Amino acid sequence: MRFAHRTLRAIGGAAMVGALVLGTASAASADATRDKQWQNKAFDIDAVHKVATGKGVTVAVLDAGVDGEHPDLTGSVLAGKRCSDGQPANREVDDDHGTGMASLIAGHGHGAGNSQGMLGMAPDAKILPVDIYKTDGGTIGEARPVACTVGEAIRYAVDQGADVINMSLSNDYAGADTKDAIAYAIAHDVVLVQASGNDGVENNSGIGSTPGIAQVGGSTQDGSRWDDDNGGSNYSKQLMFTAPGKDITVATSNGDFDDADGNSHKGDYLTTDGTSMSSAVASGTFALLKQKFPDYTPGQLVNRIIKSTYIAKGVDKSKLPDAYHGYGDLSPLKALTANIPKGDANGPWDLSSLPKASGDKGKAAGNSSDAASDSSDSDSSNMLLYVGIGLAALVIIVVVVVVIVVSRNKNNRGGPGGPGGPGAPGTMPPPAYHQGGYPPQPQQPGPYGQQQPPQWGPPRQ
């Protein structure tokens, strides 16, 4: 496995990397692994899972592949797709990042009663892996080439039935294709979650700066922002909330990974830092919310999270949201159970800057030639439809005219009044065209008001 000390800088608009940094590796036993998941204790995960487990929800992981044969993930990983060759992405070779994120989202454990190994936020959810990279693996200081854009990967995930899309990756540029894909996902009620990054700097560009993205920063065990010598959570004006990102244990696929110094380590699990994990934990939480509130829009689900956050000691809640904490730290149980109004469909976002969603669901899964063919077929079908309607209208007009003429001729031949009388022929004005159509759509409400989160969240160990 290759995890970097710091997030690799994105090169241009296409290069993206996992927002993850190396912590400490250990060949811990599965029981010890479960014990190390401090975030589950803080969240009271047993109480959370009495409310929802993610059953019936699919979470797409835009990352490297995911090991579908890992004992903590067996039966939970769909085939997905590798962008490089179109083959299934439910395996990993040299990079365990995708498997690690999947284990935080939907790990169900193994052994007697599934009491060992990773227990994710939504253990009954399904994982749809989308391997976006051209090559397996990647090392520190290396620009990781991608085989498909974020926009293409988002559209594929939406078309395959994803309810939530996790993006534990960094991208400093969001072009028209990406924004169009974001609009497409929002239009199909798919939640988009992205890691803020690990350089400890301000970053107001890229995917996370786009309305419709739930950008997540990293937090520590006491709920405060993660920021130490090994890295730190990036901050921005668009940061929505924080979630655990310090000393987080994840599953590995092949048990072999290299650190930033080139040293090889072995172990079934890894304890590490980074906003990649924060994003994955948040995505798992959204899967729980999707199960309990299936008719909510992405904005309304985000609304539940930001109105139920935990406010760490020393954080001035009167100044939230801010660039470092967003609206506060994730509190899954309160998000699931608190009495929170459904709110506006757009939640905290002003989506007016997004393009109008284009394309029907299912069209984007094909290649560009398929899309061109679909468009051509659609245009041809529309043209035939219009021609048919026009011919039908012409026939009806002709029939009406004939009926009128015949009727008048009969009246003139024997009807009362004679020429120029009540039954005399004359010019008839055309029937008035009825101005039909749909009533104008109501205007969307203005931007979401800045709500103050409550004082208390989950207990912190």
Side-chain angles (χ1 to χ4, degrees):
M1 172 186 285
R2 294 174 172 85
F3 288 133
H5 276 302
R6 295 178 57 192
T7 304
L8 300 182
R9 301 297 298 172
I11 306 298
M16 294 158 288
V17 295
L20 183 67
V21 294
L22 178 66
T24 57
S26 65
S29 68
D31 287 332
T33 297
R34 183 65 61 89
D35 291 340
K36 284 183 176 181
Q37 293 187 262
W38 65 261
Q39 73 275 14
N40 285 354
K41 299 174 185 177
F43 291 154
D44 193 357
I45 200 69
D46 290 338
V48 167
H49 288 163
K50 288 179 181 178
V51 181
T53 59
K55 187 175 181 62
V57 179
T58 298
V59 182
V61 176
L62 274 54
D63 209 299
V66 174
D67 183 8
E69 296 183 356
H70 192 285
D72 295 344
L73 289 168
T74 52
S76 298
V77 183
L78 304 175
K81 183 180 77 170
R82 289 192 316 217
C83 290
S84 60
D85 56 13
Q87 295 299 308
N90 54 355
R91 68 176 186 85
E92 283 198 18
V93 178
D94 295 320
D95 188 335
D96 288 337
H97 194 274
T99 298
M101 300 308 101
S103 70
L104 286 170
I105 296 169
H108 51 57
H110 64 273
N114 283 338
S115 61
Q116 301 174 337
M118 290 293 298
L119 179 62
M121 294 301 302
D124 286 336
K126 296 296 184 183
I127 295 293
L128 175 70
V130 186
D131 188 343
I132 63 175
Y133 298 110
K134 287 184 178 179
T135 59
D136 289 312
T139 58
I140 188 80
E142 176 184 55
R144 187 85 177 272
V146 295
C148 59
T149 66
V150 170
E152 291 169 339
I154 288 174
R155 281 183 169 270
Y156 169 80
V158 174
D159 290 342
Q160 295 302 308
D163 301 292
V164 181
I165 297 177
N166 181 70
M167 295 177 284
S168 291
L169 51 86
S170 172
N171 184 10
D172 288 341
Y173 176 76
D177 174 69
T178 302
K179 292 178 181 178
D180 185 75
I182 291 170
Y184 183 73
I186 295 295
H188 291 93
D189 288 333
V190 179
V191 181
L192 298 163
V193 189
Q194 193 234 355
S196 68
N198 304 327
D199 296 318
V201 299
E202 184 174 13
N203 185 1
N204 291 304
S205 65
I207 301 174
S209 66
T210 308
I213 299 290
Q215 187 184 63
V216 186
S219 62
T220 65
Q221 292 193 30
D222 64 4
S224 62
R225 172 177 171 260
W226 165 57
D227 186 20
D228 57 32
D229 293 339
N230 289 328
S233 175
N234 287 355
Y235 51 96
S236 75
K237 298 174 182 177
Q238 294 81 22
L239 189 73
M240 197 61 63
F241 57 91
T242 58
K246 173 68 177 174
D247 296 329
I248 306 298
T249 299
V250 298
T252 67
S253 166
N254 53 31
D256 187 5
F257 62 91
D258 298 334
D259 65 20
D261 298 322
N263 300 314
S264 181
H265 302 267
K266 290 186 180 295
D268 296 324
Y269 299 92
L270 172 72
T271 300
T272 186
D273 306 332
T275 61
S276 277
M277 283 73 71
S278 308
S279 178
V281 170
S283 291
T285 302
F286 277 115
L288 301 176
L289 292 171
K290 268 284 189 179
Q291 178 189 354
K292 186 172 182 185
F293 305 101
D295 62 330
Y296 276 37
T297 66
Q300 289 165 339
L301 296 179
V302 171
N303 176 60
R304 293 198 65 87
I305 285 185
I306 65 179
K307 289 189 175 180
S308 60
T309 53
Y310 171 85
I311 310 302
K313 184 178 180 180
V315 176
D316 187 349
K317 66 177 182 179
S318 68
K319 295 183 179 179
L320 298 180
D322 68 19
Y324 295 93
H325 311 91
Y327 286 87
D329 202 48
L330 179 67
S331 181
L333 186 57
K334 291 194 70 175
L336 284 165
T337 61
N339 183 16
I340 300 171
K342 190 174 184 179
D344 182 77
N346 292 345
W349 298 305
D350 177 4
L351 300 178
S352 61
S353 63
L354 286 180
K356 183 178 179 181
S358 62
D360 296 329
K361 190 173 180 180
K363 294 286 187 182
N367 57 34
S368 57
S369 61
D370 292 336
S373 176
D374 290 340
S375 176
S376 177
D377 292 343
S378 176
D379 290 344
S380 299
S381 298
N382 289 338
M383 181 61 70
L384 290 174
L385 176 62
Y386 297 149
V387 171
I389 293 174
L391 289 174
L394 181 60
V395 170
I396 292 172
I397 291 172
V398 170
V399 170
V400 170
V401 170
V402 170
V403 169
I404 292 173
V405 170
V406 170
S407 175
R408 287 183 174 180
N409 287 338
K410 285 182 179 181
N411 290 336
N412 289 339
R413 284 194 297 268
T427 59
M428 177 177 290
Y433 182 78
H434 177 68
Q435 300 296 329
Y438 294 104
Q441 296 296 317
Q443 296 296 317
Q444 292 289 343
Y448 192 86
Q450 293 188 352
Q451 301 293 331
Q452 299 304 326
Q455 177 66 38
W456 298 105
R460 295 284 160 169
Q461 304 298 321

